[in-house]
Amino acid sequence: MTEEQAKRENRQVEVAIYPWAASGRAIAIGRTEGLTKWLVEPETERVLGCGIVGPGAGELIGEAVLAIEMRCEIRDVTDSVHAHPTLSETLMNAGEVFFGTATEIYKPKKR
């Protein structure tokens, strides 16, 4: 699901974006222009969609597809161990943005 689809269907979504400029791996390879974005249903915290833009994004999509197909909650992705430093961490980090716990960028916790 995209943000546009959610709007057309009058679905509530919260968008959590993790800029690759905060990713150690993206910095190391000199490609910080990407981002990872989760669309999350606020009431259930279920993953509804994902957007990934940047070098190697195609290699990251599989994890997002699996999370959506399994009807995961964003906590499932965020609490899963991701190798460091990798671009796959950005999926976990975007989940941390949702919860307000990402250490590399400032977004306060929800109350």
Side-chain angles (χ1 to χ4, degrees), residues 21-85:
S23 163
R25 181 64 177 160
I27 293 167
I29 63 173
R31 298 296 303 270
T32 58
E33 67 274 14
L35 65 83
T36 301
K37 170 173 69 173
W38 285 116
L39 276 70
V40 180
E41 185 174 56
E43 186 176 315
T44 64
E45 297 186 350
R46 198 180 94 200
V47 173
L48 298 178
C50 184
I52 306 172
V53 178
E59 296 177 18
L60 306 178
I61 293 169
E63 181 176 347
V65 169
L66 182 61
I68 294 165
E69 288 297 315
M70 290 182 63
R71 302 175 62 86
C72 285
E73 294 175 12
I74 192 65
R75 173 118 9 238
D76 297 320
V77 177
T78 306
D79 287 351
S80 297
V81 175
H82 289 75
H84 174 75

